[in-house]
Amino acid sequence: AVAQPLMTVPQAIQLYTTHDASGLSLLTWAGYTLFGLIFLAYGIKYQLRPIALTQSIWVVLQLCVVVGIVVWQ
């Protein structure tokens, strides 16, 4: 459950070290973030800690990528 969000870390590191977002889609990453927020809300509402924890990590990492794309696109 934690492995999936951690797969985003290399993308975020590359984005923030190169400041190059040319190969990244803002629409795609914003969509990932939106769906992550939906699942996060679900996990919080139904008190499902594994889902809430995983989605919290996922949303934070996705938001980092979205912000990087906006700044360096």
Side-chain angles (χ1 to χ4, degrees):
V2 177
Q4 182 182 6
L6 293 179
M7 302 281 293
T8 305
V9 172
Q11 184 73 70
I13 290 172
Q14 181 180 1
L15 176 61
Y16 279 86
T17 56
T18 64
H19 299 179
D20 180 21
S22 60
L24 302 174
S25 167
L26 178 60
L27 181 62
T28 299
W29 283 96
Y32 291 154
T33 305
L34 174 65
F35 285 110
L37 287 169
I38 291 169
F39 285 117
L40 175 59
Y42 177 84
I44 290 170
K45 179 177 179 170
Y46 293 103
Q47 299 176 355
L48 302 170
R49 288 185 190 175
I51 291 175
L53 175 64
T54 303
Q55 292 306 315
S56 296
I57 296 167
W58 191 235
V59 166
V60 167
L61 290 171
Q62 290 170 336
L63 280 173
C64 288
V65 174
V66 168
V67 168
I69 291 171
V70 169
V71 169
W72 291 301
Q73 197 168 33

